[in-house]
Amino acid sequence: MNMKKPHRLITFFALSLLLLGCENASHSTAVSGGDLTVIPVTYTYTVTLKDGKTEKAKKELFNYLQNNKKTLLVYGANITWTNKQTKALADSASKWLISSGTPIELVKVVQSPDTKQPGAISLSTKLYQVQTHLCKFRSISNYHSGDDGCYSDNLRWQAMLHPDRKLAGYSNITADNTQDQ
């Protein structure tokens, strides 16, 4: 029995040294994580009443709403107004957006603090755009010499249908694209 204890002790030390040796070995990974920049971009469209007439402004406003319906359905709009006439336009625009399918929480109607344009109504929409970083030139003769996986990671983000929606937190909201096809 005395002979088994030193044998076990030597085996234990040998296994410990082997594990420590494997732990200290340098491991290089072929692919590092993606390097993305998410940029918020705010688009603003302003309609100004001419001579207090709302019909032309209403036509222009609803033409903008129709032309940008898909984007407004997904991202909503902040509608600002300056007087009673533009408040009525803002209310009708918000009702149109909500009846078209834009979630209520994405449509906000507020009075503008800007007094420079007394007869103006503005629609602002914030979009999030994903920008990938530039990849370095590859050297074919040197394996693992640069940022391996850069091109494939960038292409993955560019191939996604709407990565900006995922990063903005609106992953469950989709616009109906079947009408244009």
Side-chain angles (χ1 to χ4, degrees), residues 10-178:
I10 291 172
T11 306
F12 174 73
F13 281 124
L15 286 175
S16 298
L17 287 174
L18 182 65
L19 290 174
L20 286 174
C22 289
E23 183 181 325
N24 291 332
S26 64
H27 298 288
S28 62
T29 58
V31 178
S32 60
D35 185 15
L36 302 173
T37 305
V38 181
I39 302 169
V41 179
T42 303
Y43 295 97
T44 303
Y45 183 75
T46 303
V47 177
T48 306
L49 296 179
K50 303 261 193 273
D51 301 325
K53 297 180 181 177
T54 60
E55 284 305 312
K56 190 173 181 183
K58 185 175 185 176
K59 185 177 180 182
E60 188 177 339
L61 178 66
F62 279 90
N63 189 27
Y64 174 80
L65 291 173
Q66 284 287 342
N67 290 337
N68 296 287
K69 182 177 179 180
K70 289 180 184 177
T71 303
L72 294 169
L73 283 173
V74 175
Y75 297 102
N78 292 333
I79 306 169
T80 57
W81 52 272
T82 54
N83 60 20
K84 288 182 181 181
Q85 292 171 319
T86 56
K87 181 176 179 359
L89 283 174
D91 289 339
S92 62
S94 81
K95 287 178 186 175
W96 184 88
L97 284 169
I98 293 168
S99 68
S100 295
T102 306
I104 294 172
E105 61 270 5
L106 295 179
V107 179
K108 294 176 180 62
V109 179
V110 293
Q111 186 174 7
S112 174
D114 185 19
T115 57
K116 293 177 185 174
Q117 292 182 323
I121 178 173
S122 296
L123 277 88
S124 298
T125 303
K126 184 184 283 189
L127 305 172
Y128 293 90
Q129 295 181 348
V130 177
Q131 184 178 28
T132 56
H133 74 286
L134 295 174
C135 299
K136 298 176 188 171
F137 287 112
R138 298 298 313 217
S139 175
I140 295 175
S141 61
N142 296 336
Y143 186 66
H144 291 303
S145 63
D147 49 355
D148 291 331
C150 177
Y151 288 104
S152 60
D153 200 44
N154 284 353
L155 290 175
R156 180 178 64 86
W157 277 100
Q158 292 171 8
M160 287 180 72
L161 184 58
H162 293 285
D164 48 347
R165 290 187 202 168
K166 300 282 185 201
L167 295 173
Y170 303 124
S171 61
N172 294 332
I173 301 171
T174 57
D176 184 16
N177 295 330
T178 58

